[in-house]
Amino acid sequence: MVSFGLIGEWNPVPGHVTTWKPTPECIARVHAAPPHPVPPSHIQEEYLKSAYRNRDSGFRFSRLCLVTFDIFEPLNADAMTQAVNGFLRKHDTFASWFHTDEHGVVRHVTDPEFIELAPTDVGEFDDQEALRQHVQDTTPGPTSWDCFSFGVIDHGDTFTVYAAVDHLNTDGISQALTFFELRTLYTEAAAGTLNVQPCLGSYLEYCTREREASAQLTSRSHEVRTWIDLVRENGGDLPTFALPLDAHAEKYTRSEVRDFPLFDKELADAFDEACERAGAKITGGIFAAAAIAEYELVGKKNYLGLTPKSTRTTPGEFGAIGWFSSLIPVHFTVSGTLTFSHLAGVAQRAFKSGKLLSDVSYHRVLELVTPDSGITTQPGWSAPMISYVDVRKLPGADIVSSVNGGLFGNQGSSDEVYMWINRFENHTGATFMFPGTDVARRSIDRYFAAIGDVFLSVARTGDYSFADAVSGRTA
């Protein structure tokens, strides 16, 4: 099974640590790179601006994504050096760095051949917490070019590989690619057959394409108007979590993660079949359940949810490392329906319609809105999101499990709730990331109790009926 969670839940076997860091010559050459005319992607730009605004937070405000796996043979350090350097040179996102200040963000691009990391012997670690802290402390944030780190924990006959990359340069698909590529590059280097070629997909070209398309948009463009209408109907802003979180009692609220079991294999299959009978796929079923839960908890009759979408489109981009991501808005009405089977098809159609907006960044929409638009979303916004991942369908998922593969994130700051429904071969679970307050903990329990009732009823009976009046659930 693949492990997910915060870095604090990563349980590496202690051992002798070697890390790979840029050489002084490499850093000097990279920093000498001139400004480049291609801006960052929209999501990168807002991420960098947010990191700059919160640079004095006192903790790592940006997101760190950690990929880990084991190799069951003695370490060949020279081969790992070749693998790490080959990986970074192959993907052009790692050739960029950004200068950010109050005036904006400027990209700089270096020659990939200048990238050179060398091994550093860190020494023996006998404590898991010290290992977790070491990885986080030695990986710079997005204001540095080298906002990534690579290392191994050597156990003699086996070793653990870790790759820690700031979210600036990675996303969920990229993390899966990182596992496969590092493992393959190492194997080829150890066998003396390594021949690294540039990736056919270019993140720089993607940013160019995104910016050229968004530059053609105006406040009257159909997609922009549709985004504005959806958000204005939601009161002028993106949705917030249905229940109280108390996330703004302090300036920063550190994230917490909770895992809830949902289905075994048989129940997951039954839920899948119930969705199909209702004219929906699992994604539509999940959003129908979320809308029912909000309706029963707080009486919300119009649902607006968000789910992330990969923006990879060309064949080469499906093999590229980078932050290829946008949002799909899912908007539909709950009132007038009485059962899950009536609502699931509605939710599925709303998801399909929302996909038509996913190529238009909401960040770009905010650049185009006028003061009289009725939109109140502020810079640095956050919103709840729901994501469904069928881990069974990921290429090589069985391999990842067999080598103790893991995907982890740092404990940053959260203002909102993010929910992942992860479906494995024999079980399906819900993972929540949320602000770590007592109020939020109670709210997450209430919310999962509500949405869990819907999920389990549908899986066990084929449907779920909800009253046409708010049920008035209590804690």
Side-chain angles (χ1 to χ4, degrees):
M1 177 178 132
V2 183
S3 298
F4 295 93
L6 293 178
I7 293 177
E9 298 172 271
W10 176 42
N11 295 306
V13 177
H16 195 94
V17 174
T18 302
T19 61
W20 277 260
K21 296 181 179 180
T23 65
E25 294 81 9
C26 165
I27 291 176
R29 286 183 167 187
V30 169
H31 286 173
H36 194 279
V38 176
S41 66
H42 282 295
I43 198 168
Q44 279 185 318
E45 181 176 20
E46 294 306 316
Y47 180 77
L48 287 162
K49 288 179 177 179
S50 181
Y52 180 78
R53 286 194 301 268
N54 294 280
R55 61 192 180 278
D56 297 323
S57 63
F59 62 96
R60 188 189 184 100
F61 184 82
S62 64
R63 297 294 182 187
L64 183 63
C65 304
L66 177 66
V67 177
T68 69
F69 59 93
D70 292 342
I71 293 182
F72 303 108
E73 60 186 48
L75 171 66
N76 181 330
D78 290 339
M80 186 57 68
T81 299
Q82 295 178 58
V84 167
N85 284 312
F87 176 75
L88 293 174
R89 293 169 186 162
K90 180 176 180 177
H91 299 284
D92 65 0
T93 190
F94 296 114
S96 289
W97 60 274
F98 301 92
H99 175 75
T100 308
D101 58 22
E102 61 273 14
H103 303 295
V105 180
V106 177
R107 181 196 295 272
H108 296 251
V109 177
T110 191
D111 185 334
E113 292 304 311
F114 291 165
I115 298 175
E116 183 72 35
L117 273 63
T120 299
D121 188 331
V122 181
E124 200 75 24
F125 280 71
D126 58 8
D127 179 75
Q128 289 181 334
E129 178 55 33
L131 274 169
R132 290 189 286 260
Q133 200 60 47
H134 164 77
V135 172
Q136 296 178 84
D137 289 346
T138 57
T139 309
T143 56
S144 299
W145 160 68
D146 55 334
C147 53
F148 46 78
S149 68
F150 301 85
V152 300
I153 308 167
D154 193 359
H155 312 120
D157 293 334
T158 65
F159 60 97
T160 298
V161 179
Y162 71 79
V165 181
D166 192 277
H167 205 341
L168 180 73
N169 289 320
T170 193
D171 58 13
I173 293 177
S174 295
Q175 291 168 58
L177 289 170
T178 297
F179 162 78
F180 288 109
E181 284 207 2
L182 270 182
R183 189 168 177 268
T184 299
L185 291 170
Y186 173 81
T187 300
E188 292 176 350
T193 60
L194 183 64
N195 180 23
V196 180
Q197 298 295 322
C199 180
L200 294 176
S202 163
Y203 191 70
L204 199 64
E205 291 178 5
Y206 164 75
C207 292
T208 301
R209 187 176 73 243
E210 181 198 51
R211 290 291 184 158
E212 288 176 347
S214 67
Q216 301 302 312
L217 297 171
T218 71
S219 59
R220 296 184 179 181
S221 298
H222 173 71
E223 297 89 345
V224 173
R225 293 305 316 168
T226 304
W227 261 114
I228 291 172
D229 290 345
L230 287 178
V231 174
R232 189 161 53 195
E233 189 173 340
N234 196 59
D237 203 354
L238 292 175
T240 57
F241 189 63
L243 297 172
L245 299 173
D246 197 28
H248 300 288
E250 304 289 341
K251 185 175 182 181
Y252 299 106
T253 307
R254 304 300 296 276
S255 305
E256 285 189 15
V257 169
R258 291 274 303 279
D259 294 316
F260 295 89
L262 194 55
F263 299 136
D264 58 20
K265 185 181 186 307
E266 289 72 23
L267 287 175
D269 290 342
F271 182 80
D272 198 348
E273 292 166 2
C275 291
E276 287 187 12
R277 288 195 299 272
K281 298 183 182 298
I282 285 188
T283 301
I286 289 171
F287 277 102
I292 293 170
E294 290 196 10
Y295 180 73
E296 292 193 324
L297 286 166
V298 296
K300 193 171 182 180
K301 298 179 180 180
N302 293 304
Y303 179 82
L304 176 61
L306 299 169
T307 188
K309 173 185 178 290
S310 171
T311 53
R312 291 169 166 85
T313 56
T314 69
E317 285 173 358
F318 283 92
I321 303 295
W323 196 354
F324 297 85
S325 186
S326 67
L327 293 175
I328 298 173
V330 184
H331 176 262
F332 55 94
T333 298
V334 179
S335 57
T337 59
L338 296 175
T339 64
F340 172 91
S341 58
H342 289 147
L343 193 59
V346 174
Q348 187 66 43
R349 292 190 290 274
F351 172 74
K352 184 177 180 180
S353 297
K355 288 175 70 174
L356 300 177
L357 301 180
S358 61
D359 288 335
V360 176
S361 168
Y362 187 63
H363 297 297
R364 175 59 175 154
V365 173
L366 291 181
E367 294 175 354
L368 295 170
V369 297
T370 57
D372 61 351
S373 66
I375 302 301
T376 60
T377 309
Q378 297 299 307
W381 56 266
S382 60
M385 294 183 213
I386 298 176
S387 179
Y388 170 65
V389 179
D390 191 340
V391 180
R392 304 170 306 162
K393 295 182 179 180
L394 295 179
D398 54 336
I399 299 174
V400 180
S401 298
S402 69
V403 296
N404 302 318
L407 303 174
F408 303 93
N410 66 311
Q411 187 187 18
S413 176
S414 292
D415 294 328
E416 268 299 344
V417 176
Y418 306 93
M419 180 173 72
W420 294 268
I421 304 292
N422 296 313
R423 186 175 182 181
F424 298 91
E425 185 62 38
N426 294 312
H427 80 281
T428 300
T431 297
F432 291 83
M433 179 180 286
F434 58 93
T437 69
D438 288 338
V439 171
R441 293 181 194 105
R442 290 193 293 270
S443 290
I444 293 299
D445 285 341
R446 285 186 63 199
Y447 180 85
F448 181 74
I451 197 171
D453 281 353
V454 181
F455 282 134
L456 289 177
S457 175
V458 172
R460 289 169 175 164
T461 71
D463 208 349
Y464 180 87
S465 298
F466 54 100
D468 197 28
V470 180
S471 66
R473 289 179 186 266
T474 58

